[in-house]
């Protein structure tokens, strides 16, 4: 059988600084040097969601020795179906159906870099338990997607937010939301019928047979997507205090079913018709609530660029 000759392949890399394609052996991405004193220090984080992406974020934060004080919020318990998409959960956690936040807290209890507190409940439970959220955290990581949590967080006068997500088309996303300058969580995930949502996560359902021969429906997922999304979130955290960071793309999409030649990287401005991110009257209130947060300097003194929704 005749074998077709292999096509010539020119090696390349794409940079986690600007998500552009660059020569493998050159430093053309113009990434500034990272001060050794600031490596891994990311401040006070509120993370809502310890599911597939959220649990991988915790695992990688600890793996890379990132220094952070975190509050983790999730009401769900570990199930067997969660194990394929999480780097954190194990079989014993699923058998005992432990709360996801408890598993995360247990995992990092010996961490030298992470100081973690947890709330075994929803975002709405947290708001009732901790009305003093503003000014306590430097950064919110919203990686939950149920019960309207995204829109609620976007309308809660948040500080800087960074989140990762996935889709069933093998896509991985990371997005940044600088208040009053960039698109917000409501712009990224507009309210639509959940059945017809254009942003489904990298999961679906399959039919499996039990030992007695009965058929049941369980969740299934593309196991590598959540870890990839979490890795992009970690990359954003490491870049936060580097010179020129706010000018970098705030929306990145990588399709892992493609050639990976170059991700889609865009800078999405705020929308004039969005009730969450285009509220100039909130600027004074926001400054009082979040002005002392570590990354408040990213919020420009001007109104920033805008885009109109048609």
């Amino acid at each position: 059988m005749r074998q077709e000759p292999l096509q010539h392949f020119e090696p390349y890399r794409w940079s986690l600084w600007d998500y552009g394609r660059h020569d493998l052996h050159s430093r053309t991405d113009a990434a500034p040097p990272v001060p050794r004193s600031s490596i891994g220090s990311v401040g006070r984080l509120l993370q809502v969601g310890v599911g597939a992406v959220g649990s991988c974020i915790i695992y990688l934060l600890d793996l890379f020795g990132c220094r952070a004080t975190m509050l983790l919020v999730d009401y769900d318990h570990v199930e067997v179906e969660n194990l394929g998409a999480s780097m954190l959960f194990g079989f014993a956690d699923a058998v005992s159906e432990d709360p996801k936040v408890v598993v995360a807290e247990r995992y990092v209890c010996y961490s030298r870099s992470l100081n973690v507190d947890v709330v075994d409940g929803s975002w709405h439970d947290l708001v009732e338990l901790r009305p003093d959220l503003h000014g306590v955290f430097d950064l919110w990581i919203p990686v939950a997607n149920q019960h309207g949590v995204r829109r609620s967080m976007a309308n809660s006068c948040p500080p800087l937010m960074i989140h990762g997500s996935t889709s069933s088309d093998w896509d991985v996303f990371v997005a940044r939301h600088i208040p009053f300058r960039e698109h917000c969580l409501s712009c990224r995930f507009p309210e639509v019928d959940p059945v017809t949502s254009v942003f489904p996560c990298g999961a679906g359902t399959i039919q499996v047979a039990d030992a007695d021969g009965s058929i049941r429906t369980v969740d299934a997922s593309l196991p590598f997507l959540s870890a990839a999304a979490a890795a992009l979130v970690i990359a954003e955290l490491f870049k936060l205090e580097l010179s020129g960071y706010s000018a970098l793309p705030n929306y990145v999409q990588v399709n892992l079913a493609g050639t990976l030649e170059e991700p889609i990287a865009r800078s999405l401005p705020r929308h004039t018709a969005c009730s969450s991110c285009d509220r100039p009257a909130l600027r004074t209130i926001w400054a009082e609530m979040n002005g002392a947060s570590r990354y408040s300097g990213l919020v420009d003194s001007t109104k920033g660029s805008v885009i109109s929704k048609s």
Side-chain angles (χ1 to χ4, degrees):
M1 181 177 178
R2 181 179 179 182
Q3 188 175 17
E4 294 294 330
L6 294 176
Q7 294 182 351
H8 175 70
F9 177 78
E10 188 68 31
Y12 64 88
R13 66 180 177 88
W14 51 266
S15 170
L16 286 175
W17 169 248
D18 59 4
Y19 298 98
R21 178 172 172 168
H22 303 279
D23 180 81
L24 184 64
H25 303 293
S26 68
R27 288 299 304 271
T28 58
D29 53 358
V34 180
R36 187 171 297 275
S37 61
S38 67
I39 292 179
S41 178
V42 293
R44 304 165 298 171
L45 311 182
L46 168 63
Q47 180 174 309
V48 180
V50 189
V53 176
S55 62
C56 290
I57 289 174
I58 298 163
Y59 181 92
L60 293 177
L61 281 171
D62 180 64
L63 178 67
F64 293 133
C66 297
R67 298 189 300 276
T69 298
M70 302 183 70
L71 177 62
L72 306 178
V73 183
D74 201 303
Y75 64 88
D76 208 358
H77 292 238
V78 180
E79 299 177 347
V80 172
E81 292 80 11
N82 302 141
L83 304 185
S86 174
M87 304 169 74
L88 189 66
F89 304 141
F91 182 72
D93 305 321
V95 170
S96 57
E97 297 184 343
D98 289 337
K100 292 179 178 179
V101 290
V102 172
V103 176
E105 184 180 36
R106 187 165 61 224
Y107 180 81
V108 301
C109 67
Y110 298 109
S111 174
R112 296 182 178 181
S113 58
L114 297 181
N115 181 15
V116 169
D117 195 7
V118 302
V119 171
D120 183 7
S122 68
W123 158 257
H124 304 289
D125 295 329
L126 174 66
V127 173
E128 293 184 5
L129 291 171
R130 296 282 302 271
D132 60 336
L133 285 176
H134 295 93
V136 177
F137 300 100
D138 301 309
L139 173 73
W140 290 6
I141 303 178
V143 282
N145 59 4
Q146 295 178 323
H147 308 300
V149 61
R150 288 166 171 160
R151 188 166 185 83
S152 179
M153 293 183 71
N155 281 284
S156 296
C157 207
L160 174 69
M161 291 200 290
I162 294 175
H163 77 90
S165 58
T166 63
S167 85
S168 56
D169 294 323
W170 293 49
D171 287 313
V172 173
F173 305 90
V174 66
R176 177 189 72 221
H177 310 286
I178 299 177
F180 307 108
R181 287 188 58 180
E182 301 176 334
H183 75 309
C184 72
L185 208 57
S186 293
C187 299
R188 173 71 182 92
F189 298 99
E191 285 191 336
V192 294
D193 185 338
V195 176
T196 59
S197 173
V198 295
F199 295 118
C201 63
T205 58
I206 59 173
Q207 303 292 320
V208 298
D210 288 331
D212 60 1
S214 61
I215 303 297
R216 62 190 176 96
T217 300
V218 299
D219 294 333
S221 63
L222 297 168
F224 44 82
L225 292 184
S226 301
L232 294 184
V233 170
I234 301 300
E236 291 300 304
L237 295 179
F238 270 94
K239 295 186 294 185
L240 276 171
E241 293 187 299
L242 297 184
S243 175
Y245 172 68
S246 63
L248 296 175
N250 59 32
Y251 168 84
V252 177
Q253 175 182 350
V254 182
N255 184 265
L256 297 183
T259 62
L260 295 179
E261 289 190 7
E262 190 167 350
I264 297 173
R266 301 284 186 269
S267 291
L268 302 180
R270 63 187 178 90
H271 291 263
T272 58
C274 178
S275 61
S276 299
C277 66
D278 189 54
R279 302 169 70 181
L282 284 180
R283 280 180 164 269
T284 301
I285 299 175
W286 187 94
E288 293 176 356
M289 290 180 168
N290 301 299
S293 61
R294 181 169 179 172
Y295 307 112
S296 61
L298 293 175
V299 179
D300 196 1
S301 59
T302 65
K303 289 192 66 176
S305 56
V306 299
I307 187 171
S308 298
K309 283 184 177 177
S310 57

